[in-house]
């Protein structure tokens, strides 16, 4: 009788114990899941976790991180994990997913991004030569210069001393009243950029004005928009209220669109994201020879159509069948209703590049590239037929002395990495003669194909077997796992305002950078096996000083 009364009580106890055990297991599982997510989830590019770097606001009202070497942010979430490990024989694709995951977790633990670590490396902080007065492109005019007594110049400049204000004489509607002094703090970012150009580079990577300039391009009110003359495709010259200007290239195709393999290089589209990506890549290579470029999302109606005074632009506006506002302007290629630039319905992605000083102030010389392509469907250039072509180039001024030849090879390396076949000319500032850097301008046809590597772009390196030591060491550094080019490029591009819309480069393009980098290093190795004078030594100390290990 007692046993019958105990059975229901015992069953109840067992049931309670089972429920309690199940609850404890569920709590433990939730705790473990939360810990794993905390360890593995990366902050996105729009995260506000960085507290030390200055910001570049997006074109909507949100803020986005600027181009800063002190950035604490990590690469944005990836779409694919195709990032092979570089080794002596090429790429190892085994266990790439687990390898990538370990690297990202390691970065979170260390609390330092690859981009930040890269810019702290000695190769990116080399001592610079002391700059003399003639090494600056532009200087503020000193008032102590001799003038003829009683001259008009003296009368005019007596009221404009070194500490007085420079008043704008223009009364054009919409422009700001200019009040600049000799104090650099009163100068707008575009003027500081112009005054910072030297014989050896367009800008210094660590210059705080670089952040201000990109912020300025991404947010400044647009006052005017006219079509830029010259070139084969549509470009606009944008004016800002403080007399600054920028070169606009609009979005013509999606980021994932790859150039048709049957299309000739001289018939390819120009891409806005190519201009932005080229600036970032040039900076990662330590060249600093492309003017700063930033992406921007603008209103094609209020910021172009309603303010333009250029009839070549205004009369080509129309509304597409789906209600998007479009225009096409006038140019040699792709300026027609079949190839319009369209908003969605008003929002349009563009690239804005900082303009160089006016040619009247800083004349530039245009040089025909010795490795220029034929721009013909049937003919081949001389360098494509003569393997000893470089021997002739080496005997031709200005390539027969100084750094001009290795400067040109630097440019070929940049072009090969981004698959740019459209490098027919390059420019230099006339003031500096032949002892200066090359301007890497007009990169809109880059990043068109990721599935194919155009080895002919490397012809200057292959035929001349000559490369700067600093360039080679940086390339080796960027092939190292801790500084992999695709990773630092992804992180750098994530700082652009347009990265909030979509990644500037697709993952296949980023993977192609690693593949092409390995190709360049292999070409250099082949050269070293057959030649003794491959390296142009521009550094002090041995290679161990710059070893990433």
């Amino acid at each position: 009788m007692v046993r019958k009364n105990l059975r229901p009580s015992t069953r109840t106890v067992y049931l309670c114990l089972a429920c309690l055990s199940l609850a404890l297991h569920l709590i433990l599982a939730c705790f473990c899941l939360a810990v794993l997510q905390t360890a593995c989830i990366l902050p996105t590019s729009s995260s506000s976790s960085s507290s030390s770097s200055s910001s570049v606001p997006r074109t909507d009202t949100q803020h986005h991180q600027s181009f800063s070497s002190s950035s604490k942010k990590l690469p944005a979430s990836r779409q694919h994990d195709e990032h092979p490990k570089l080794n002596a024989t090429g790429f190892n694709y085994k266990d790439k997913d687990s390898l990538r995951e370990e690297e990202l977790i390691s970065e979170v633990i260390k609390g330092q991004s690859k981009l930040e670590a890269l810019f702290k490396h000695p190769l990116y902080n080399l001592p610079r030569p002391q700059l003399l007065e003639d090494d600056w492109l532009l200087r503020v005019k000193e008032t102590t210069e001799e003038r003829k007594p009683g001259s008009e110049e003296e009368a005019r400049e007596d009221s404009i001393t070194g500490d007085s204000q420079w008043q704008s004489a223009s009364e054009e509607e919409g422009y700001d009243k200019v009040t600049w002094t000799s104090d650099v703090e009163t100068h707008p970012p575009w003027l500081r950029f112009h005054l910072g150009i030297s014989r050896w580079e367009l800008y210094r990577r660590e210059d705080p004005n670089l952040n201000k300039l990109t912020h300025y391009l991404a947010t400044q009110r647009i006052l005017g928009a006219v079509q830029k003359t010259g070139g084969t495709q549509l470009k606009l010259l944008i004016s800002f209220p403080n007399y600054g200007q920028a070169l606009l290239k609009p979005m013509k195709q999606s980021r994932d669109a790859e150039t048709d393999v049957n299309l000739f290089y001289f018939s390819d589209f120009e891409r806005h994201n190519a201009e932005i990506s080229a600036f970032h890549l040039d900076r990662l290579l330590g060249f600093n020879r492309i003017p700063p470029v930033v992406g921007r999302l603008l209103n094609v109606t209020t910021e172009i159509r309603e303010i333009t005074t250029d009839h070549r632009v205004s009369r080509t506006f129309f509304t597409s069948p789906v209600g998007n506002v479009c225009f096409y302007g006038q140019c040699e290629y792709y300026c027609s209703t079949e190839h319009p630039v369209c908003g969605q319905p008003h929002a349009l992605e563009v690239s804005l590049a900082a303009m160089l000083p006016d040619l009247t102030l800083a004349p530039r010389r245009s040089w025909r590239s010795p490795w220029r392509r034929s721009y013909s469907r049937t003919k081949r250039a001389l360098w494509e037929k003569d393997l000893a072509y470089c021997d002739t180039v080496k005997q031709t001024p200005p390539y027969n002395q100084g750094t001009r030849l290795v400067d040109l090879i630097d440019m070929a390396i940049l072009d090969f990495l981004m698959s740019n076949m459209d490098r027919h000319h390059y420019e230099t500032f006339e003031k500096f003669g032949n002892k200066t850097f090359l301007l890497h301008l007009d990169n809109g046809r880059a990043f068109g194909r990721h599935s194919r590597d155009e080895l002919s772009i490397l012809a200057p390196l292959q035929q001349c077997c000559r490369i700067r030591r600093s360039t080679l060491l940086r390339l080796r550094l960027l092939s190292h796992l801790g500084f992999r080019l695709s990773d630092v490029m992804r992180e750098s591009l994530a700082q652009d305002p347009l990265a909030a819309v979509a990644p500037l480069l697709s993952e296949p393009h980023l993977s192609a950078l690693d593949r092409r980098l390995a190709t360049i290093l292999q070409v250099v190795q082949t050269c070293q096996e057959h030649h003794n004078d491959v390296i142009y030594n521009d550094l002090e100390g041995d290679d161990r000083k710059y070893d990433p290990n």
Side-chain angles (χ1 to χ4, degrees):
M1 189 72 180
V2 175
R3 294 177 64 183
K4 289 184 179 179
N5 291 335
L6 289 175
R7 284 178 183 174
S9 176
T10 303
R11 290 174 182 172
T12 304
V13 171
Y14 288 161
L15 182 60
C16 291
L17 289 174
C19 293
L20 180 61
S21 176
L22 180 61
L24 289 173
H25 279 81
L26 287 174
I27 293 173
L28 182 60
C30 293
F31 176 75
C32 293
L33 181 61
V35 171
L36 289 174
Q37 288 180 339
T38 303
C40 296
I41 293 179
L42 295 175
T44 62
S45 60
S46 59
S47 171
S48 60
S49 61
S50 176
S51 61
S52 61
S53 60
S54 57
S55 61
V56 175
R58 299 174 188 163
T59 49
D60 52 289
T61 57
Q62 299 176 352
H63 289 289
H64 200 73
Q65 183 181 0
S66 66
F67 306 107
S68 173
S69 62
S70 62
S71 169
K72 299 291 183 183
K73 303 214 176 160
L74 295 172
S77 300
R78 65 195 185 284
Q79 296 177 356
H80 303 285
D81 286 323
E82 298 177 359
H83 302 287
K85 179 180 178 181
L86 185 66
N87 54 36
T89 58
F91 290 101
N92 179 12
Y93 288 87
K94 294 182 180 179
D95 299 326
K96 58 180 179 294
D97 292 334
S98 60
L99 178 62
R100 177 68 177 152
E101 196 71 25
E102 290 174 5
E103 292 172 31
L104 295 177
I105 294 174
S106 175
E107 289 178 15
V108 174
I109 294 173
K110 291 179 181 179
Q112 177 173 284
S113 70
K114 289 185 178 181
L115 183 63
E116 181 184 24
L118 179 73
F119 286 149
K120 287 182 178 179
H121 192 275
L123 283 170
Y124 289 83
N125 296 277
L126 298 171
R128 290 179 171 86
Q130 184 178 2
L131 295 176
L132 305 177
E133 189 67 22
D134 289 341
D135 291 331
W136 296 102
L137 181 65
L138 299 174
R139 291 285 83 185
V140 176
K141 188 175 182 180
E142 299 292 340
T143 58
T144 57
E145 293 180 0
E146 294 184 3
R147 294 164 296 183
K148 295 180 180 180
S151 65
E152 292 184 4
E153 181 183 5
E154 181 182 30
R156 181 173 64 254
E157 294 187 6
D158 277 344
S159 60
I160 308 178
T161 65
D163 295 323
S164 69
Q165 297 177 340
W166 298 342
Q167 300 288 348
S168 171
S170 174
E171 299 294 336
E172 295 178 81
E173 183 179 356
Y175 282 94
D176 295 338
K177 182 180 180 180
V178 175
T179 306
W180 303 334
T181 71
S182 59
D183 183 4
V184 69
E185 294 300 323
T186 66
H187 301 165
W190 64 265
L191 181 55
R192 296 189 201 182
F193 166 57
H194 289 178
L195 293 174
I197 298 173
S198 72
R199 179 184 297 274
W200 309 117
E201 57 189 355
L202 273 178
Y203 59 88
R204 298 186 64 172
R205 177 185 50 78
E206 63 274 18
D207 185 356
N209 184 60
L210 186 62
N211 296 329
K212 297 177 182 178
L213 180 60
T214 53
H215 174 279
Y216 160 81
L217 293 172
T219 60
Q220 185 70 227
R221 178 172 62 91
I222 296 177
L223 187 62
V226 296
Q227 185 167 338
K228 188 178 185 301
T229 58
T232 58
Q233 299 189 35
L234 178 65
K235 296 183 286 288
L236 299 181
L237 191 61
I238 299 299
S239 300
F240 300 116
N242 61 2
Y243 296 89
Q245 292 184 319
L247 183 65
L248 179 152
K249 290 191 178 182
M251 182 177 185
K252 297 275 290 187
Q253 59 186 27
S254 68
R255 294 166 175 51
D256 298 328
E258 190 172 13
T259 301
D260 189 339
V261 294
N262 295 310
L263 197 65
F264 283 94
Y265 53 88
F266 49 81
S267 301
D268 194 9
F269 282 114
E270 290 192 347
R271 289 166 282 274
H272 73 303
N273 61 314
E275 292 286 357
I276 301 168
S277 302
F279 162 64
H280 285 261
L281 180 59
D282 179 84
R283 181 167 152 262
L284 291 175
L285 294 174
F287 294 155
N288 303 339
R289 302 167 193 170
I290 293 180
V293 187
V294 68
R296 180 166 175 168
L297 193 65
L298 54 76
N299 188 306
V300 71
T301 300
T302 60
E303 294 183 292
I304 297 181
R305 184 175 190 174
E306 293 179 358
I307 64 174
T308 184
T309 57
D310 192 338
H311 295 296
R312 295 173 298 176
V313 177
S314 60
R315 67 186 181 187
T316 63
F317 273 91
F318 65 95
T319 302
S320 73
V322 294
N324 293 332
V325 179
C326 307
F327 71 103
Y328 52 87
Q330 292 182 5
C331 60
E332 293 183 28
Y333 297 112
Y334 306 124
C335 283
S336 65
T337 53
E338 290 79 18
H339 301 96
V341 173
C342 294
Q344 295 184 358
H346 301 279
L348 175 66
E349 289 186 30
V350 301
S351 67
L352 290 176
M355 295 293 290
L356 295 174
D358 191 271
L359 293 175
T360 58
L361 295 174
R364 302 192 299 271
R365 178 173 178 179
S366 179
W367 303 78
R368 181 188 174 102
S369 172
W371 281 270
R372 181 185 186 274
R373 296 180 183 275
S374 66
Y375 286 80
S376 168
R377 294 179 176 86
T378 57
K379 297 180 181 179
R380 298 173 64 196
L382 181 59
W383 60 267
E384 295 179 281
K385 298 179 287 186
D386 182 7
L387 296 180
Y389 178 78
C390 186
D391 294 338
T392 303
V393 175
K394 288 180 178 179
Q395 299 173 11
T396 306
Y399 307 100
N400 60 342
Q401 59 182 347
T403 62
R404 181 61 61 89
L405 182 60
V406 289
D407 287 336
L408 196 68
I409 291 173
D410 280 348
M411 187 166 60
I413 289 172
L414 171 71
D415 286 336
F416 177 72
L417 287 171
M418 59 186 184
S419 192
N420 179 25
M421 301 174 67
D422 189 34
R423 187 72 70 186
H424 44 84
H425 286 77
Y426 63 88
E427 295 183 16
T428 59
F429 290 110
E430 283 189 0
K431 176 181 178 179
F432 302 135
N434 293 332
K435 296 181 179 180
T436 186
F437 65 95
L438 312 186
L439 290 163
H440 299 166
L441 305 177
D442 197 7
N443 304 287
R445 285 189 171 133
F447 295 104
R449 295 191 184 115
H450 53 73
S451 58
R452 181 186 178 195
D453 300 340
E454 185 55 55
L455 290 174
S456 63
I457 302 175
L458 275 184
L461 175 61
Q462 290 175 315
Q463 295 179 359
C464 298
C465 276
R466 194 80 165 140
I467 187 173
R468 259 193 180 91
R469 184 179 170 211
S470 60
T471 298
L472 177 59
L473 289 177
R474 287 195 185 105
L475 293 175
R476 288 176 178 170
L477 181 67
L478 291 168
S479 69
H480 191 272
L481 188 62
F483 304 96
R484 188 163 46 193
L485 179 56
S486 60
D487 292 338
V488 293
M489 184 69 168
R490 183 189 299 104
E491 186 179 351
S492 185
L493 289 174
Q495 299 172 353
D496 188 87
L498 284 184
V501 180
L504 270 299
L505 285 182
S506 64
E507 287 299 318
H509 276 297
L510 293 172
S511 297
L513 288 174
D514 293 329
R515 185 179 68 242
R516 291 165 184 163
L517 176 55
T519 300
I520 295 171
L521 294 177
Q522 183 60 54
V523 170
V524 174
Q525 182 177 338
T526 301
C527 285
Q528 289 179 312
E529 292 171 356
H530 297 86
H531 303 275
N532 296 323
D533 58 344
V534 175
I535 308 300
Y536 176 84
N537 193 4
D538 61 337
L539 298 177
E540 296 180 357
D542 57 30
D543 289 358
R544 288 175 296 179
K545 179 180 178 180
Y546 308 105
D547 190 343
N549 295 316

